[in-house]
Every structure is written in structure tokens, then in C-alpha cells.
Amino acid sequence: MPEMLALDIENDAPIDTWFGIGGTADRLARPANVDELRRCLDLDINLRILGDGANLLVGDGGVRELVVSLERLDTVEIAPDGTVRAQAGANLMRLVQDTARAGLFGLHTLAGVPASVGGAVHMNAGGAYGNTFDHLAKIVTMDRHGVVRTQPASEFEPVYRDGGIGDKIVVEALFRLTPGETADVREQLKRIMAEKKASQPLSADSAGCVFKNPTLSSEVDGIGSAGERISAGMIIDRAGCKGMRVGGASVSERHANFMVVDKDSARAQDVFDLIAVVRSTVLERFGVELQTEVVVWGAA
């Protein structure tokens, strides 16, 4: 029998999220390589993967499953021909900046999208200018039995905010970008970031967009037609929810699809309750049922 790899396990560990609230992990591991990640599966096949924590709300009761942070799996290789390899734990916003400095078009469309590379692939993260799968060539995943597989991105069926990865763990992504003039890429990046800074509370304690942009099942007067995907922020605003508050959580006055928290007073339960109030208000006012984009771990 081969010797089992030892893992450092933290007990009752804080779970780093952009909200900065919520409970702890009973156990938390930070594997440094694929073998250590596989060992984590030996400990708990139902483990939860932690990326950048930008799209995550952890319940006040914490998490019983093993939480695995991929922050140490963060190697990035950028080639002049536009081939970019990035491990799952690499920071997406840093990768966007680095590829822009290398004069590569493609990932600049994800400017301001907070995520790890693995998280971005898993949820097909994106915005008005593009999505993660737009320039994704290959994906390396590990299934829940520890089997690693490299597949063309075309074998997956990504949709809006879902990369079709299922319960597999993203280990690495390969992008194919387009070489260009560095000044041109950086100018486009600057323009996109300026628009986001003007409309979103980027400096607040928030998890980004809380709800997915809904597709209307029927026409809503003054909102949109049947089959049209509309802005969740717009319909929440029209429902009069901007500034709505529950405890230490509130709907942002700048962008209604953002919920911001006061970390000194807010509990995760405040955000859960605020989500419920916003959903019921929009449903009652317009007959539109909002679905959450933010991922929820553990009990409230």
C-alpha cells in the first residue's frame, strides 16, 4: 500500500468570503497539488470547494463538510501566442490584468468579475461583455473518485451562469486568446472597469449580483416581453427595493442586485431574510420569480 499523504487540517476555521460574515468550517484544507486534492476526497467525498469566496454566502451555523480552499493551486502560464493556462485557484481579476498587459484580447471582457478561475469556469461567470466559456479551450477536472480528465470546453454545455461542470472539481483551465496591441487591450479594459465603478458598489462588503437575470415567461408591462432576459437589478429597483434593509444587510442604493452588509452587525440570517423579502416583493409586484446567483453553504 502506498503511504497516505498527510494534510494539514484546520479546525473551526473561518471561511473567507466577500460578505465577510457567516459561520466557520468544521474542517478546512488547503491542498498544494493535485495529489493532495485527491487526498481531500479520501477524507470527505462530499467536500465543498472554496474559490475566491466572491459569490458565496455561508450560513451562521457553519459547514459540516470538509471545506477545501484551492488558493495554493494558483499557477498561471501566459504564452505570446495567446495560450493561457491557469490553475483553479488563480485569481480571475489578476489574470485579466496580466493578459491585458501581455497584449491579449479575450479575458478583458471579464473585467471586474470577482472569482477564482475555477469558480468562473464552474458558473460560466461573466457580464454584459462576455462569459468565461467564450475563450475557454480545455478544462481539467477531477471527479469525486479522484479521476483527473482533460476535455475540450466544447464537450460541456454551458448556459447562463452554469458551466455544466456538475459535481466535478475544476483543476485547471486553458484559454486561447487573441494577440493584439497592449495599449488597445488596456484601453478596453479601462473602459469596462469605469462603467462598472460608476454603477456598482465595488468597494462595499458584497458578493456581487445576488440574483440571476430572469427570463420572462410572459410579457410584463413596462418591463419586457415573453422570452426576454431582463436585468434583475432593474426589476428589483422597479419593485421599490433599493435601500431595503434587514438587520445589518441592505439592498445597495447604487445597484439593486447587490446586497451590502455591515460586517460589525450583520449576520448571514439578515441576508437570507433580505433575499426572501426581495423575492416576494418582485413576485407580488410583477409575477417574476427571481433565482439566486449567490451560492449558499450551510444552514442559516
Side-chain angles (χ1 to χ4, degrees):
M1 291 286 291
E3 183 179 351
M4 296 295 283
L5 293 169
L7 278 174
D8 289 330
I9 302 294
E10 301 172 39
N11 297 311
D12 195 25
I15 301 173
D16 292 331
T17 71
W18 280 42
F19 269 131
I21 58 176
T24 60
D26 283 5
R27 299 171 297 156
L28 186 145
R30 306 178 196 271
N33 52 53
V34 170
D35 287 336
E36 290 188 3
L37 177 57
R38 188 178 287 112
R39 172 65 178 129
C40 291
L41 283 165
D42 292 336
L43 295 178
D44 187 350
I45 197 172
N46 297 312
L47 58 75
R48 294 179 180 269
I49 297 295
L50 177 65
D52 198 46
N55 190 44
L56 177 62
L57 174 61
V58 178
D60 294 310
V63 177
R64 308 287 81 80
E65 299 90 348
L66 174 66
V67 173
V68 177
S69 168
L70 298 185
E71 63 185 82
R72 298 174 68 188
L73 293 171
D74 63 351
T75 300
V76 170
E77 298 175 1
I78 301 174
D81 68 354
T83 301
V84 175
R85 292 183 179 274
Q87 287 188 304
N91 181 275
L92 179 65
M93 291 197 288
R94 188 175 303 121
L95 182 62
V96 168
Q97 293 284 349
D98 289 345
T99 55
R101 278 192 286 268
L104 300 176
F105 283 97
L107 292 184
H108 71 285
T109 62
L110 302 180
V113 175
S116 64
V117 167
V121 171
H122 206 283
M123 69 172 294
N124 192 21
Y129 295 95
N131 299 302
T132 302
F133 268 74
D134 292 346
H135 301 279
L136 190 57
K138 295 181 181 180
I139 308 170
V140 181
T141 61
M142 178 183 290
D143 69 19
R144 294 284 164 156
H145 300 288
V147 177
V148 175
R149 186 180 180 192
T150 300
Q151 296 172 260
S154 58
E155 291 187 1
F156 294 84
E157 297 181 357
V159 294
Y160 175 74
R161 297 303 166 264
D162 185 352
I165 307 298
D167 68 352
K168 296 183 179 69
I169 301 165
V170 177
V171 176
E172 182 179 285
L174 185 145
F175 300 91
R176 296 205 187 279
L177 309 183
T178 303
E181 295 294 330
T182 299
D184 293 339
V185 185
R186 296 185 74 171
E187 181 59 32
Q188 290 198 31
L189 184 64
K190 182 179 178 181
R191 176 176 56 82
I192 295 172
M193 282 305 302
E195 291 183 13
K196 291 202 168 189
K197 287 178 180 177
S199 63
Q200 299 177 4
L202 298 182
S203 62
D205 293 312
S206 168
C209 291
V210 172
F211 298 101
K212 298 178 180 179
N213 290 332
T215 298
L216 298 180
S217 58
S218 59
E219 182 177 356
V220 179
D221 188 38
I223 298 294
S225 305
E228 181 181 353
R229 188 181 297 281
I230 64 167
S231 163
M234 178 269 289
I235 199 170
I236 294 168
D237 190 0
R238 296 275 187 91
C241 296
K242 262 189 178 178
M244 186 178 285
R245 173 176 289 273
V246 173
S250 62
V251 177
S252 170
E253 293 280 8
R254 177 170 287 188
H255 193 304
N257 200 16
F258 281 64
M259 291 182 180
V260 298
V261 301
D262 178 350
K263 288 195 293 189
D264 292 331
S265 63
R267 299 172 64 250
Q269 185 64 53
D270 297 338
V271 183
F272 284 116
D273 291 345
L274 185 56
I275 287 172
V277 172
V278 169
R279 290 186 70 187
S280 64
T281 301
V282 170
L283 182 61
E284 180 179 355
R285 177 72 175 81
F286 297 111
V288 175
E289 187 164 359
L290 295 174
Q291 302 297 325
T292 52
E293 180 173 315
V294 67
V295 175
V296 175
W297 283 0

